Each structure stands twice: as C-alpha cells, then as structure tokens.
Amino acid sequence: MARLHLFDLDGTLLHGTTAPVEISRQLGLEAETAELDRAIAAGRIDPTEYAARVYTLWAELTDAHVAAAFDGAPWLARIQDVWAEIRETGDYCAVVSLSPSFFVERLLGWGAHAALGSRFPAVPFAEPVDPAGVLTAAAKVTIADRLCERFGVGRADCVAYGDSMSDRDLFGVVPVSVAVNADGHLAGLATYSYTGRDLWDAYELACGAR
C-alpha cells in the first residue's frame, strides 16, 4: 500500500522561521511579523486575525518579493531529493500549511504532489483575504482526509512531519509522525523526533516504520 507523507512548512521545511516572516523580510517588516508569530503561538490571536494582520502589512507586496523570499529562505537540505524518492517508491507527498497559498504552492515545482495553504488573493492584492479560506490546525486533518481520498490511501497509510501546536491534531490521527526541530507542543505525540537541517534524515526515520 502506498503511503502519503504530509509536511508542515513553517519551522519544519523552513528552519527556524516562517513563510510570513521571510515574505515580510523583503519589505523590511520581519520584526512586526515575528511578533505576530509569537502572538499566535501563545494563543493571543487566532489564524484568522493573523492572516488579516499580515495582509495589512503586505499592502506593497509584489510577486518579485514573494519569489525573493522563497529563493532566499533557509530551507532544510535535500527536500527535493526526499520528494523524488517518495515519488519513485510510489508514495505521495503533500505540504499542508497555515501560511499563504501563494507561497506554499511554489513547492509544487519541487515535486510535491499537492501544496495547500491558507487562501490569499493573488499578489499584488486587489481584493481582501477571505476569512473562510484561512486554515487552522483542525483543518489540516480535514485536508489530510481529502488528500487520502484523492490518492486512494487511508489515515493508516499517512506519515506527518511537523514542529508545533498547529500539527498536534494531525499527529493525533496518523500512525507515524516525525517531530522536526519541534517545540514542546509535540512532546509525547511524535513517533520519532529529529533535530537538524537535512530532511532526508527525518524521512529515513519514518521509513523505518514501514
């Protein structure tokens, strides 16, 4: 039976940062966005409010800014190698993130079968962000179920990779999970724990559970 590997983005594929912070860095607004990251991590704001606030910060955002943020971000090593291996073995790989869709979807070019994020309007913004399209931790489970149906697998065939509270719900419903450079919110939940900057090493831990 094929397996579906589900990857978080912020703090997982991206080392020590988030997509919104990297996007905001291009506008000189990384400090403001880092504060929003701390606020959502502490539960002081929810994903909908977070999205509304970064949308306001990004009034001058262009596609060139997004491209520069993506290209210059501190990605883990060998992401594309891992996804190529997953494809070659007949498995599936997907990214599910609370970060903006216009950033997450760029990972399709790296070999992900699917890359889903909070729905934002196209850049530069000409319309508001729709709160209904902003993802939550619980939404990750719903999306995982839809991807299972799409690829003909079940929850029992899933492996989740994540680092924080937004991954708790997903870790709770799949049989194999890998905490990648994780904070304390995943303590006791993950099947495996990895600290480092090479996704291949985290992937090999999950392979041992096949």
Side-chain angles (χ1 to χ4, degrees), residues 3-8 12 155-164 166-182 185-195 199 201-210:
R3 294 208 295 183
L4 170 59
H5 297 259
L6 297 157
F7 296 90
D8 173 54
T12 303
R155 284 186 183 179
D157 309 305
C158 290
V159 182
Y161 304 76
D163 76 302
S164 65
S166 71
D167 304 298
R168 282 182 61 91
D169 290 3
L170 187 57
F171 273 38
V173 300
V174 301
V176 180
S177 55
V178 184
V180 180
N181 298 315
H185 291 108
L186 298 184
L189 281 178
T191 312
Y192 303 103
S193 182
Y194 170 73
T195 301
L199 187 63
D201 295 335
Y203 169 68
E204 284 193 325
L205 292 174
C207 287
R210 183 180 284 277

Side-chain angles (χ1 to χ4, degrees), residues 33-168:
T33 306
E35 176 56 34
L36 291 178
D37 281 358
R38 289 189 287 271
I40 195 170
R44 297 195 301 272
I45 61 174
D46 64 15
T48 300
E49 183 174 354
Y50 181 98
R53 292 195 185 186
V54 293
Y55 173 87
T56 300
L57 286 175
W58 294 340
E60 304 301 320
L61 190 65
T62 67
D63 191 64
H65 290 131
V66 178
F70 186 91
D71 294 341
W75 299 99
L76 291 193
R78 296 200 283 180
I79 293 173
Q80 295 181 65
D81 292 341
V82 168
W83 293 351
E85 175 72 11
I86 287 171
R87 282 178 169 271
E88 288 173 8
T89 60
D91 287 348
Y92 301 96
C93 53
V95 181
V96 183
S97 172
L98 275 59
S99 277
S101 52
F102 59 75
F103 188 95
V104 180
E105 289 167 1
R106 289 175 176 264
L107 289 166
L108 292 171
W110 284 13
H113 288 93
L116 301 162
S118 292
R119 291 197 305 274
F120 269 65
V123 176
F125 299 143
E127 57 188 87
V129 61
D130 181 0
V134 177
L135 300 188
T136 63
K140 285 191 171 187
V141 176
T142 302
I143 290 171
D145 286 340
R146 291 173 183 165
L147 290 171
C148 283
E149 183 176 357
R150 171 180 167 184
F151 297 124
V153 300
R155 284 186 183 179
D157 309 305
C158 290
V159 182
Y161 304 76
D163 76 302
S164 65
M165 184 181 293
S166 71
D167 304 298
R168 282 182 61 91

